[in-house]
Amino acid sequence: MANGQWYPPEWPDRIRALSSGDLKPATPRRAATVMLLRDSVAGLAVHMLRRRASMAFAGGAYAYPGGGVDPRDDDHLVRWAGPSRATWAARLGVDEPGAQAIVCAAVRETYEEAGVLLAGPTPSSVVGDTTGDDWEADREALVAREFSFAKFLDRRGLVLRSDLLGAWARWITPEFEPKRYDTFFFVAALPEGQRTRNASTEADRTVWIAPGEATAGYDKGDLLMMPPTIATLRQLSLYGSAADALSAAPERDLTPVLAQARLEDGELVLTWPGHEEFTKHIPTGDSA
């Protein structure tokens, strides 16, 4: 392969079906993913996980902790620090309950998959070690969706630290995919006193890696990634520290990126607006 772009072999047939009207696009489900950052001697590093090769979706690809929004997190006001729900709603382009649910998903998924919790007993603190048996029992219950993240925060008497997050990008799964997500990408710095671990059943490896090193691995075809992952890594490689990236987040454009497919000169052309490197030209196999 020329690079490490994840490209499922069934995409051309699904694109043809969408173009002919035989495929009805699925409705995207809201999701959140977090680029967890820390500073090292060599500069900025980002936490990534490698999806198990056995996974039906993007097996073997490197990604960030993330997952779908839990609808239960939009109807229960949690203890909240940082920008108001109204401010987050305006930033994300959703209503206030939706904004709370998206931010909750970002913090919850970081805890579920990396063991890092962006919450604390007060609006200006974060929890310390979260590796005890009682914490692990609660984390596993969250993974199993036995209770919502809002209820978890209540049980623990914790304040959600929305001020530790910065909204970075928004990508929507192409219309020809059977499972679609409207995903909000966030940045956050690893809180002092906490450490990451591979707490995800979907990952076989986790790494702290410099964005430039990760993009170089992708360019050589050594690291497999989906377009949103490599695009955000290229953006992060412009910053020298976690603080620099977080300070840049408020000015980031959150216009959704949605792949487009069209028939042109006997080829199916797949593009991601604003990200020309991902353009694919797929022969249709039709004779002229």
Side-chain angles (χ1 to χ4, degrees), residues 11 18 25-28 170-177 179-183 227-228 254-262 269-275 278:
W11 270 12
L18 180 68
T27 300
R170 182 179 181 182
W171 288 67
I172 300 177
T173 308
E175 292 183 334
F176 47 81
E177 272 291 297
K179 291 184 178 180
R180 302 182 63 213
Y181 295 93
D182 180 358
T183 304
L254 295 189
T255 301
V257 179
L258 173 64
Q260 299 175 352
R262 67 183 187 275
V269 182
L270 178 61
T271 62
W272 279 260
H275 300 272
F278 305 127

PDB file of all heavy atoms in Angstrom, residues 11 18 25-28 170-177 179-183 227-228 254-262 269-275 278:
ATOM      1  N   TRP A  11     -16.211  -1.147   0.017  1.00  0.00           N
ATOM      2  CA  TRP A  11     -16.633   0.227  -0.236  1.00  0.00           C
ATOM      3  C   TRP A  11     -17.087   0.474  -1.682  1.00  0.00           C
ATOM      4  O   TRP A  11     -18.129   1.098  -1.900  1.00  0.00           O
ATOM      5  CB  TRP A  11     -15.523   1.194   0.156  1.00  0.00           C
ATOM      6  CG  TRP A  11     -15.612   1.638   1.581  1.00  0.00           C
ATOM      7  CD1 TRP A  11     -16.403   1.114   2.563  1.00  0.00           C
ATOM      8  CD2 TRP A  11     -14.889   2.701   2.186  1.00  0.00           C
ATOM      9  NE1 TRP A  11     -16.204   1.770   3.750  1.00  0.00           N
ATOM     10  CE2 TRP A  11     -15.282   2.753   3.549  1.00  0.00           C
ATOM     11  CE3 TRP A  11     -13.935   3.602   1.725  1.00  0.00           C
ATOM     12  CZ2 TRP A  11     -14.761   3.684   4.444  1.00  0.00           C
ATOM     13  CZ3 TRP A  11     -13.407   4.536   2.612  1.00  0.00           C
ATOM     14  CH2 TRP A  11     -13.814   4.572   3.961  1.00  0.00           C
ATOM     15  N   LEU A  18     -25.185   3.171  -3.399  1.00  0.00           N
ATOM     16  CA  LEU A  18     -25.662   4.488  -2.973  1.00  0.00           C
ATOM     17  C   LEU A  18     -25.940   5.373  -4.184  1.00  0.00           C
ATOM     18  O   LEU A  18     -26.962   6.061  -4.240  1.00  0.00           O
ATOM     19  CB  LEU A  18     -24.615   5.138  -2.063  1.00  0.00           C
ATOM     20  CG  LEU A  18     -24.951   6.531  -1.531  1.00  0.00           C
ATOM     21  CD1 LEU A  18     -26.116   6.463  -0.539  1.00  0.00           C
ATOM     22  CD2 LEU A  18     -23.728   7.159  -0.839  1.00  0.00           C
ATOM     23  N   PRO A  25     -28.980   5.606   3.119  1.00  0.00           N
ATOM     24  CA  PRO A  25     -28.002   5.919   4.168  1.00  0.00           C
ATOM     25  C   PRO A  25     -28.575   5.732   5.567  1.00  0.00           C
ATOM     26  O   PRO A  25     -29.729   6.092   5.840  1.00  0.00           O
ATOM     27  CB  PRO A  25     -27.654   7.386   3.908  1.00  0.00           C
ATOM     28  CG  PRO A  25     -28.036   7.636   2.488  1.00  0.00           C
ATOM     29  CD  PRO A  25     -29.222   6.764   2.227  1.00  0.00           C
ATOM     30  N   ALA A  26     -27.766   5.156   6.448  1.00  0.00           N
ATOM     31  CA  ALA A  26     -28.152   5.029   7.853  1.00  0.00           C
ATOM     32  C   ALA A  26     -28.020   6.388   8.533  1.00  0.00           C
ATOM     33  O   ALA A  26     -27.213   7.228   8.128  1.00  0.00           O
ATOM     34  CB  ALA A  26     -27.269   4.003   8.552  1.00  0.00           C
ATOM     35  N   THR A  27     -28.818   6.598   9.560  1.00  0.00           N
ATOM     36  CA  THR A  27     -28.737   7.847  10.321  1.00  0.00           C
ATOM     37  C   THR A  27     -27.514   7.808  11.231  1.00  0.00           C
ATOM     38  O   THR A  27     -27.334   6.844  11.973  1.00  0.00           O
ATOM     39  CB  THR A  27     -29.999   8.044  11.172  1.00  0.00           C
ATOM     40  OG1 THR A  27     -31.139   8.085  10.307  1.00  0.00           O
ATOM     41  CG2 THR A  27     -29.916   9.336  11.977  1.00  0.00           C
ATOM     42  N   PRO A  28     -26.646   8.837  11.198  1.00  0.00           N
ATOM     43  CA  PRO A  28     -25.450   8.818  12.051  1.00  0.00           C
ATOM     44  C   PRO A  28     -25.813   8.927  13.534  1.00  0.00           C
ATOM     45  O   PRO A  28     -26.719   9.670  13.911  1.00  0.00           O
ATOM     46  CB  PRO A  28     -24.655  10.055  11.604  1.00  0.00           C
ATOM     47  CG  PRO A  28     -25.278  10.500  10.337  1.00  0.00           C
ATOM     48  CD  PRO A  28     -26.690  10.035  10.346  1.00  0.00           C
ATOM     49  N   ARG A 170     -14.891  17.661  13.708  1.00  0.00           N
ATOM     50  CA  ARG A 170     -16.128  16.880  13.629  1.00  0.00           C
ATOM     51  C   ARG A 170     -16.150  16.149  12.288  1.00  0.00           C
ATOM     52  O   ARG A 170     -16.049  16.774  11.237  1.00  0.00           O
ATOM     53  CB  ARG A 170     -17.340  17.800  13.774  1.00  0.00           C
ATOM     54  CG  ARG A 170     -18.690  17.095  13.760  1.00  0.00           C
ATOM     55  CD  ARG A 170     -19.823  18.114  13.934  1.00  0.00           C
ATOM     56  NE  ARG A 170     -21.132  17.484  13.960  1.00  0.00           N
ATOM     57  CZ  ARG A 170     -22.290  18.151  14.056  1.00  0.00           C
ATOM     58  NH1 ARG A 170     -22.256  19.484  14.129  1.00  0.00           N
ATOM     59  NH2 ARG A 170     -23.438  17.515  14.074  1.00  0.00           N
ATOM     60  N   TRP A 171     -16.248  14.838  12.347  1.00  0.00           N
ATOM     61  CA  TRP A 171     -16.280  14.010  11.143  1.00  0.00           C
ATOM     62  C   TRP A 171     -17.526  13.126  11.172  1.00  0.00           C
ATOM     63  O   TRP A 171     -17.877  12.588  12.223  1.00  0.00           O
ATOM     64  CB  TRP A 171     -15.041  13.120  11.058  1.00  0.00           C
ATOM     65  CG  TRP A 171     -13.770  13.848  10.724  1.00  0.00           C
ATOM     66  CD1 TRP A 171     -13.112  14.761  11.496  1.00  0.00           C
ATOM     67  CD2 TRP A 171     -12.994  13.695   9.534  1.00  0.00           C
ATOM     68  NE1 TRP A 171     -11.976  15.207  10.860  1.00  0.00           N
ATOM     69  CE2 TRP A 171     -11.879  14.560   9.653  1.00  0.00           C
ATOM     70  CE3 TRP A 171     -13.127  12.925   8.382  1.00  0.00           C
ATOM     71  CZ2 TRP A 171     -10.904  14.655   8.657  1.00  0.00           C
ATOM     72  CZ3 TRP A 171     -12.161  13.017   7.389  1.00  0.00           C
ATOM     73  CH2 TRP A 171     -11.063  13.875   7.518  1.00  0.00           C
ATOM     74  N   ILE A 172     -18.159  12.966  10.028  1.00  0.00           N
ATOM     75  CA  ILE A 172     -19.338  12.114   9.914  1.00  0.00           C
ATOM     76  C   ILE A 172     -19.007  10.937   8.994  1.00  0.00           C
ATOM     77  O   ILE A 172     -18.464  11.120   7.895  1.00  0.00           O
ATOM     78  CB  ILE A 172     -20.546  12.891   9.365  1.00  0.00           C
ATOM     79  CG1 ILE A 172     -20.881  14.065  10.300  1.00  0.00           C
ATOM     80  CG2 ILE A 172     -21.757  11.976   9.210  1.00  0.00           C
ATOM     81  CD1 ILE A 172     -22.031  14.938   9.806  1.00  0.00           C
ATOM     82  N   THR A 173     -19.312   9.729   9.445  1.00  0.00           N
ATOM     83  CA  THR A 173     -19.061   8.526   8.659  1.00  0.00           C
ATOM     84  C   THR A 173     -19.754   8.633   7.301  1.00  0.00           C
ATOM     85  O   THR A 173     -20.892   9.087   7.218  1.00  0.00           O
ATOM     86  CB  THR A 173     -19.593   7.285   9.404  1.00  0.00           C
ATOM     87  OG1 THR A 173     -19.065   7.277  10.724  1.00  0.00           O
ATOM     88  CG2 THR A 173     -19.187   5.999   8.694  1.00  0.00           C
ATOM     89  N   PRO A 174     -19.070   8.215   6.228  1.00  0.00           N
ATOM     90  CA  PRO A 174     -19.676   8.315   4.884  1.00  0.00           C
ATOM     91  C   PRO A 174     -21.050   7.652   4.804  1.00  0.00           C
ATOM     92  O   PRO A 174     -21.346   6.693   5.517  1.00  0.00           O
ATOM     93  CB  PRO A 174     -18.664   7.587   3.991  1.00  0.00           C
ATOM     94  CG  PRO A 174     -17.355   7.737   4.703  1.00  0.00           C
ATOM     95  CD  PRO A 174     -17.693   7.688   6.167  1.00  0.00           C
ATOM     96  N   GLU A 175     -21.883   8.147   3.881  1.00  0.00           N
ATOM     97  CA  GLU A 175     -23.257   7.681   3.770  1.00  0.00           C
ATOM     98  C   GLU A 175     -23.363   6.223   3.336  1.00  0.00           C
ATOM     99  O   GLU A 175     -24.394   5.585   3.539  1.00  0.00           O
ATOM    100  CB  GLU A 175     -24.021   8.564   2.775  1.00  0.00           C
ATOM    101  CG  GLU A 175     -24.252   9.980   3.266  1.00  0.00           C
ATOM    102  CD  GLU A 175     -25.061  10.799   2.287  1.00  0.00           C
ATOM    103  OE1 GLU A 175     -25.023  10.472   1.067  1.00  0.00           O
ATOM    104  OE2 GLU A 175     -25.728  11.754   2.716  1.00  0.00           O
ATOM    105  N   PHE A 176     -22.314   5.681   2.736  1.00  0.00           N
ATOM    106  CA  PHE A 176     -22.378   4.298   2.256  1.00  0.00           C
ATOM    107  C   PHE A 176     -21.968   3.272   3.313  1.00  0.00           C
ATOM    108  O   PHE A 176     -22.013   2.065   3.063  1.00  0.00           O
ATOM    109  CB  PHE A 176     -21.521   4.119   0.996  1.00  0.00           C
ATOM    110  CG  PHE A 176     -20.145   4.721   1.105  1.00  0.00           C
ATOM    111  CD1 PHE A 176     -19.113   4.060   1.742  1.00  0.00           C
ATOM    112  CD2 PHE A 176     -19.897   5.972   0.573  1.00  0.00           C
ATOM    113  CE1 PHE A 176     -17.851   4.618   1.833  1.00  0.00           C
ATOM    114  CE2 PHE A 176     -18.639   6.551   0.661  1.00  0.00           C
ATOM    115  CZ  PHE A 176     -17.611   5.868   1.298  1.00  0.00           C
ATOM    116  N   GLU A 177     -21.561   3.736   4.503  1.00  0.00           N
ATOM    117  CA  GLU A 177     -21.204   2.816   5.580  1.00  0.00           C
ATOM    118  C   GLU A 177     -22.457   2.321   6.300  1.00  0.00           C
ATOM    119  O   GLU A 177     -23.379   3.095   6.538  1.00  0.00           O
ATOM    120  CB  GLU A 177     -20.284   3.507   6.588  1.00  0.00           C
ATOM    121  CG  GLU A 177     -18.811   3.410   6.268  1.00  0.00           C
ATOM    122  CD  GLU A 177     -18.301   1.994   6.436  1.00  0.00           C
ATOM    123  OE1 GLU A 177     -18.323   1.451   7.558  1.00  0.00           O
ATOM    124  OE2 GLU A 177     -17.864   1.408   5.421  1.00  0.00           O
ATOM    125  N   LYS A 179     -22.781   1.329   9.464  1.00  0.00           N
ATOM    126  CA  LYS A 179     -22.835   1.968  10.774  1.00  0.00           C
ATOM    127  C   LYS A 179     -22.197   3.339  10.651  1.00  0.00           C
ATOM    128  O   LYS A 179     -21.040   3.446  10.238  1.00  0.00           O
ATOM    129  CB  LYS A 179     -22.107   1.132  11.824  1.00  0.00           C
ATOM    130  CG  LYS A 179     -22.795  -0.165  12.172  1.00  0.00           C
ATOM    131  CD  LYS A 179     -22.066  -0.884  13.294  1.00  0.00           C
ATOM    132  CE  LYS A 179     -22.787  -2.170  13.685  1.00  0.00           C
ATOM    133  NZ  LYS A 179     -22.090  -2.879  14.791  1.00  0.00           N
ATOM    134  N   ARG A 180     -22.947   4.373  11.028  1.00  0.00           N
ATOM    135  CA  ARG A 180     -22.460   5.722  10.828  1.00  0.00           C
ATOM    136  C   ARG A 180     -22.431   6.478  12.156  1.00  0.00           C
ATOM    137  O   ARG A 180     -23.288   6.285  13.031  1.00  0.00           O
ATOM    138  CB  ARG A 180     -23.337   6.478   9.826  1.00  0.00           C
ATOM    139  CG  ARG A 180     -23.419   5.794   8.471  1.00  0.00           C
ATOM    140  CD  ARG A 180     -24.244   6.614   7.512  1.00  0.00           C
ATOM    141  NE  ARG A 180     -23.612   7.917   7.270  1.00  0.00           N
ATOM    142  CZ  ARG A 180     -24.269   9.045   7.042  1.00  0.00           C
ATOM    143  NH1 ARG A 180     -25.600   9.060   7.070  1.00  0.00           N
ATOM    144  NH2 ARG A 180     -23.613  10.173   6.832  1.00  0.00           N
ATOM    145  N   TYR A 181     -21.418   7.345  12.289  1.00  0.00           N
ATOM    146  CA  TYR A 181     -21.256   8.144  13.497  1.00  0.00           C
ATOM    147  C   TYR A 181     -20.990   9.596  13.132  1.00  0.00           C
ATOM    148  O   TYR A 181     -20.287   9.899  12.167  1.00  0.00           O
ATOM    149  CB  TYR A 181     -20.096   7.614  14.350  1.00  0.00           C
ATOM    150  CG  TYR A 181     -20.352   6.235  14.891  1.00  0.00           C
ATOM    151  CD1 TYR A 181     -19.922   5.107  14.196  1.00  0.00           C
ATOM    152  CD2 TYR A 181     -21.046   6.058  16.091  1.00  0.00           C
ATOM    153  CE1 TYR A 181     -20.175   3.833  14.686  1.00  0.00           C
ATOM    154  CE2 TYR A 181     -21.296   4.782  16.587  1.00  0.00           C
ATOM    155  CZ  TYR A 181     -20.856   3.679  15.873  1.00  0.00           C
ATOM    156  OH  TYR A 181     -21.129   2.418  16.359  1.00  0.00           O
ATOM    157  N   ASP A 182     -21.571  10.479  13.913  1.00  0.00           N
ATOM    158  CA  ASP A 182     -21.303  11.917  13.849  1.00  0.00           C
ATOM    159  C   ASP A 182     -20.374  12.187  15.027  1.00  0.00           C
ATOM    160  O   ASP A 182     -20.820  12.353  16.157  1.00  0.00           O
ATOM    161  CB  ASP A 182     -22.620  12.673  13.966  1.00  0.00           C
ATOM    162  CG  ASP A 182     -22.450  14.185  13.909  1.00  0.00           C
ATOM    163  OD1 ASP A 182     -21.299  14.655  13.812  1.00  0.00           O
ATOM    164  OD2 ASP A 182     -23.472  14.895  13.983  1.00  0.00           O
ATOM    165  N   THR A 183     -19.067  12.192  14.753  1.00  0.00           N
ATOM    166  CA  THR A 183     -18.066  12.137  15.816  1.00  0.00           C
ATOM    167  C   THR A 183     -17.414  13.487  16.072  1.00  0.00           C
ATOM    168  O   THR A 183     -16.870  14.114  15.151  1.00  0.00           O
ATOM    169  CB  THR A 183     -16.980  11.098  15.487  1.00  0.00           C
ATOM    170  OG1 THR A 183     -17.598   9.828  15.256  1.00  0.00           O
ATOM    171  CG2 THR A 183     -15.992  10.970  16.634  1.00  0.00           C
ATOM    172  N   PRO A 227      -9.137   8.009   7.815  1.00  0.00           N
ATOM    173  CA  PRO A 227      -8.880   9.410   7.460  1.00  0.00           C
ATOM    174  C   PRO A 227      -8.989  10.404   8.616  1.00  0.00           C
ATOM    175  O   PRO A 227      -8.109  11.272   8.753  1.00  0.00           O
ATOM    176  CB  PRO A 227      -9.918   9.681   6.359  1.00  0.00           C
ATOM    177  CG  PRO A 227     -10.052   8.365   5.682  1.00  0.00           C
ATOM    178  CD  PRO A 227      -9.989   7.349   6.796  1.00  0.00           C
ATOM    179  N   PRO A 228     -10.024  10.346   9.477  1.00  0.00           N
ATOM    180  CA  PRO A 228     -10.075  11.348  10.557  1.00  0.00           C
ATOM    181  C   PRO A 228      -8.871  11.277  11.493  1.00  0.00           C
ATOM    182  O   PRO A 228      -8.426  12.319  12.002  1.00  0.00           O
ATOM    183  CB  PRO A 228     -11.362  11.003  11.314  1.00  0.00           C
ATOM    184  CG  PRO A 228     -12.185  10.238  10.339  1.00  0.00           C
ATOM    185  CD  PRO A 228     -11.206   9.467   9.513  1.00  0.00           C
ATOM    186  N   LEU A 254     -15.313  23.582  13.315  1.00  0.00           N
ATOM    187  CA  LEU A 254     -16.039  22.339  13.568  1.00  0.00           C
ATOM    188  C   LEU A 254     -17.056  22.015  12.472  1.00  0.00           C
ATOM    189  O   LEU A 254     -17.965  21.209  12.689  1.00  0.00           O
ATOM    190  CB  LEU A 254     -16.743  22.400  14.925  1.00  0.00           C
ATOM    191  CG  LEU A 254     -15.861  22.486  16.170  1.00  0.00           C
ATOM    192  CD1 LEU A 254     -16.699  22.307  17.434  1.00  0.00           C
ATOM    193  CD2 LEU A 254     -14.743  21.452  16.128  1.00  0.00           C
ATOM    194  N   THR A 255     -16.890  22.598  11.299  1.00  0.00           N
ATOM    195  CA  THR A 255     -17.745  22.220  10.184  1.00  0.00           C
ATOM    196  C   THR A 255     -17.575  20.722   9.920  1.00  0.00           C
ATOM    197  O   THR A 255     -16.452  20.248   9.765  1.00  0.00           O
ATOM    198  CB  THR A 255     -17.375  22.999   8.908  1.00  0.00           C
ATOM    199  OG1 THR A 255     -17.512  24.397   9.157  1.00  0.00           O
ATOM    200  CG2 THR A 255     -18.258  22.590   7.743  1.00  0.00           C
ATOM    201  N   PRO A 256     -18.667  19.957   9.880  1.00  0.00           N
ATOM    202  CA  PRO A 256     -18.528  18.498   9.708  1.00  0.00           C
ATOM    203  C   PRO A 256     -17.845  18.125   8.391  1.00  0.00           C
ATOM    204  O   PRO A 256     -18.094  18.735   7.351  1.00  0.00           O
ATOM    205  CB  PRO A 256     -19.972  17.992   9.732  1.00  0.00           C
ATOM    206  CG  PRO A 256     -20.756  19.073  10.417  1.00  0.00           C
ATOM    207  CD  PRO A 256     -20.074  20.355  10.058  1.00  0.00           C
ATOM    208  N   VAL A 257     -16.972  17.134   8.454  1.00  0.00           N
ATOM    209  CA  VAL A 257     -16.328  16.585   7.262  1.00  0.00           C
ATOM    210  C   VAL A 257     -17.075  15.302   6.894  1.00  0.00           C
ATOM    211  O   VAL A 257     -17.133  14.361   7.684  1.00  0.00           O
ATOM    212  CB  VAL A 257     -14.842  16.276   7.517  1.00  0.00           C
ATOM    213  CG1 VAL A 257     -14.207  15.688   6.259  1.00  0.00           C
ATOM    214  CG2 VAL A 257     -14.100  17.534   7.962  1.00  0.00           C
ATOM    215  N   LEU A 258     -17.648  15.266   5.705  1.00  0.00           N
ATOM    216  CA  LEU A 258     -18.421  14.125   5.234  1.00  0.00           C
ATOM    217  C   LEU A 258     -17.929  13.736   3.851  1.00  0.00           C
ATOM    218  O   LEU A 258     -17.891  14.564   2.933  1.00  0.00           O
ATOM    219  CB  LEU A 258     -19.916  14.473   5.182  1.00  0.00           C
ATOM    220  CG  LEU A 258     -20.853  13.439   4.555  1.00  0.00           C
ATOM    221  CD1 LEU A 258     -20.856  12.152   5.369  1.00  0.00           C
ATOM    222  CD2 LEU A 258     -22.263  14.003   4.428  1.00  0.00           C
ATOM    223  N   ALA A 259     -17.539  12.472   3.696  1.00  0.00           N
ATOM    224  CA  ALA A 259     -17.060  11.994   2.403  1.00  0.00           C
ATOM    225  C   ALA A 259     -18.146  12.116   1.342  1.00  0.00           C
ATOM    226  O   ALA A 259     -19.335  11.957   1.623  1.00  0.00           O
ATOM    227  CB  ALA A 259     -16.603  10.545   2.518  1.00  0.00           C
ATOM    228  N   GLN A 260     -17.708  12.388   0.110  1.00  0.00           N
ATOM    229  CA  GLN A 260     -18.623  12.488  -1.018  1.00  0.00           C
ATOM    230  C   GLN A 260     -18.172  11.539  -2.114  1.00  0.00           C
ATOM    231  O   GLN A 260     -16.965  11.361  -2.348  1.00  0.00           O
ATOM    232  CB  GLN A 260     -18.656  13.922  -1.547  1.00  0.00           C
ATOM    233  CG  GLN A 260     -19.135  14.956  -0.536  1.00  0.00           C
ATOM    234  CD  GLN A 260     -19.055  16.372  -1.050  1.00  0.00           C
ATOM    235  OE1 GLN A 260     -18.508  16.645  -2.119  1.00  0.00           O
ATOM    236  NE2 GLN A 260     -19.606  17.312  -0.286  1.00  0.00           N
ATOM    237  N   ALA A 261     -19.114  10.902  -2.791  1.00  0.00           N
ATOM    238  CA  ALA A 261     -18.800   9.984  -3.881  1.00  0.00           C
ATOM    239  C   ALA A 261     -19.545  10.418  -5.134  1.00  0.00           C
ATOM    240  O   ALA A 261     -20.716  10.793  -5.070  1.00  0.00           O
ATOM    241  CB  ALA A 261     -19.186   8.558  -3.504  1.00  0.00           C
ATOM    242  N   ARG A 262     -18.860  10.373  -6.283  1.00  0.00           N
ATOM    243  CA  ARG A 262     -19.498  10.759  -7.541  1.00  0.00           C
ATOM    244  C   ARG A 262     -18.934   9.900  -8.671  1.00  0.00           C
ATOM    245  O   ARG A 262     -17.836   9.335  -8.566  1.00  0.00           O
ATOM    246  CB  ARG A 262     -19.250  12.233  -7.837  1.00  0.00           C
ATOM    247  CG  ARG A 262     -17.807  12.585  -8.143  1.00  0.00           C
ATOM    248  CD  ARG A 262     -17.596  14.082  -8.370  1.00  0.00           C
ATOM    249  NE  ARG A 262     -16.247  14.403  -8.823  1.00  0.00           N
ATOM    250  CZ  ARG A 262     -15.221  14.590  -8.005  1.00  0.00           C
ATOM    251  NH1 ARG A 262     -15.390  14.494  -6.676  1.00  0.00           N
ATOM    252  NH2 ARG A 262     -14.021  14.889  -8.490  1.00  0.00           N
ATOM    253  N   VAL A 269     -15.346   8.444  -7.821  1.00  0.00           N
ATOM    254  CA  VAL A 269     -14.381   9.313  -7.153  1.00  0.00           C
ATOM    255  C   VAL A 269     -14.876   9.571  -5.736  1.00  0.00           C
ATOM    256  O   VAL A 269     -15.979  10.092  -5.531  1.00  0.00           O
ATOM    257  CB  VAL A 269     -14.208  10.646  -7.906  1.00  0.00           C
ATOM    258  CG1 VAL A 269     -13.159  11.510  -7.209  1.00  0.00           C
ATOM    259  CG2 VAL A 269     -13.818  10.388  -9.356  1.00  0.00           C
ATOM    260  N   LEU A 270     -14.069   9.183  -4.772  1.00  0.00           N
ATOM    261  CA  LEU A 270     -14.398   9.344  -3.350  1.00  0.00           C
ATOM    262  C   LEU A 270     -13.520  10.443  -2.772  1.00  0.00           C
ATOM    263  O   LEU A 270     -12.287  10.372  -2.860  1.00  0.00           O
ATOM    264  CB  LEU A 270     -14.161   8.024  -2.608  1.00  0.00           C
ATOM    265  CG  LEU A 270     -14.393   8.001  -1.099  1.00  0.00           C
ATOM    266  CD1 LEU A 270     -15.836   8.347  -0.762  1.00  0.00           C
ATOM    267  CD2 LEU A 270     -14.025   6.637  -0.532  1.00  0.00           C
ATOM    268  N   THR A 271     -14.139  11.469  -2.184  1.00  0.00           N
ATOM    269  CA  THR A 271     -13.383  12.591  -1.638  1.00  0.00           C
ATOM    270  C   THR A 271     -13.868  12.947  -0.242  1.00  0.00           C
ATOM    271  O   THR A 271     -15.017  12.709   0.116  1.00  0.00           O
ATOM    272  CB  THR A 271     -13.529  13.844  -2.540  1.00  0.00           C
ATOM    273  OG1 THR A 271     -14.907  14.234  -2.587  1.00  0.00           O
ATOM    274  CG2 THR A 271     -13.029  13.569  -3.943  1.00  0.00           C
ATOM    275  N   TRP A 272     -12.965  13.533   0.523  1.00  0.00           N
ATOM    276  CA  TRP A 272     -13.283  14.133   1.816  1.00  0.00           C
ATOM    277  C   TRP A 272     -12.996  15.631   1.668  1.00  0.00           C
ATOM    278  O   TRP A 272     -11.823  16.030   1.571  1.00  0.00           O
ATOM    279  CB  TRP A 272     -12.416  13.539   2.920  1.00  0.00           C
ATOM    280  CG  TRP A 272     -12.883  12.230   3.458  1.00  0.00           C
ATOM    281  CD1 TRP A 272     -13.586  12.015   4.611  1.00  0.00           C
ATOM    282  CD2 TRP A 272     -12.655  10.926   2.895  1.00  0.00           C
ATOM    283  NE1 TRP A 272     -13.818  10.665   4.790  1.00  0.00           N
ATOM    284  CE2 TRP A 272     -13.262   9.978   3.762  1.00  0.00           C
ATOM    285  CE3 TRP A 272     -12.016  10.467   1.743  1.00  0.00           C
ATOM    286  CZ2 TRP A 272     -13.238   8.607   3.510  1.00  0.00           C
ATOM    287  CZ3 TRP A 272     -11.994   9.113   1.479  1.00  0.00           C
ATOM    288  CH2 TRP A 272     -12.605   8.200   2.361  1.00  0.00           C
ATOM    289  N   PRO A 273     -14.012  16.468   1.610  1.00  0.00           N
ATOM    290  CA  PRO A 273     -13.796  17.905   1.378  1.00  0.00           C
ATOM    291  C   PRO A 273     -12.770  18.496   2.352  1.00  0.00           C
ATOM    292  O   PRO A 273     -12.863  18.311   3.558  1.00  0.00           O
ATOM    293  CB  PRO A 273     -15.188  18.494   1.609  1.00  0.00           C
ATOM    294  CG  PRO A 273     -16.121  17.387   1.240  1.00  0.00           C
ATOM    295  CD  PRO A 273     -15.439  16.139   1.716  1.00  0.00           C
ATOM    296  N   GLY A 274     -11.813  19.205   1.783  1.00  0.00           N
ATOM    297  CA  GLY A 274     -10.773  19.831   2.584  1.00  0.00           C
ATOM    298  C   GLY A 274      -9.615  18.921   2.916  1.00  0.00           C
ATOM    299  O   GLY A 274      -8.642  19.359   3.550  1.00  0.00           O
ATOM    300  N   HIS A 275      -9.684  17.661   2.469  1.00  0.00           N
ATOM    301  CA  HIS A 275      -8.632  16.685   2.785  1.00  0.00           C
ATOM    302  C   HIS A 275      -8.326  15.884   1.523  1.00  0.00           C
ATOM    303  O   HIS A 275      -8.656  14.693   1.414  1.00  0.00           O
ATOM    304  CB  HIS A 275      -9.071  15.781   3.932  1.00  0.00           C
ATOM    305  CG  HIS A 275      -9.375  16.517   5.199  1.00  0.00           C
ATOM    306  ND1 HIS A 275      -8.416  16.797   6.150  1.00  0.00           N
ATOM    307  CD2 HIS A 275     -10.531  17.065   5.656  1.00  0.00           C
ATOM    308  CE1 HIS A 275      -8.971  17.475   7.146  1.00  0.00           C
ATOM    309  NE2 HIS A 275     -10.243  17.650   6.873  1.00  0.00           N
ATOM    310  N   PHE A 278      -6.948  12.066   0.803  1.00  0.00           N
ATOM    311  CA  PHE A 278      -7.728  10.844   0.939  1.00  0.00           C
ATOM    312  C   PHE A 278      -8.551  10.514  -0.304  1.00  0.00           C
ATOM    313  O   PHE A 278      -9.287   9.527  -0.312  1.00  0.00           O
ATOM    314  CB  PHE A 278      -8.654  10.953   2.151  1.00  0.00           C
ATOM    315  CG  PHE A 278      -7.940  11.273   3.430  1.00  0.00           C
ATOM    316  CD1 PHE A 278      -8.350  12.342   4.222  1.00  0.00           C
ATOM    317  CD2 PHE A 278      -6.837  10.538   3.841  1.00  0.00           C
ATOM    318  CE1 PHE A 278      -7.688  12.653   5.392  1.00  0.00           C
ATOM    319  CE2 PHE A 278      -6.163  10.850   5.013  1.00  0.00           C
ATOM    320  CZ  PHE A 278      -6.590  11.906   5.793  1.00  0.00           C
TER     321      PHE A 278
END
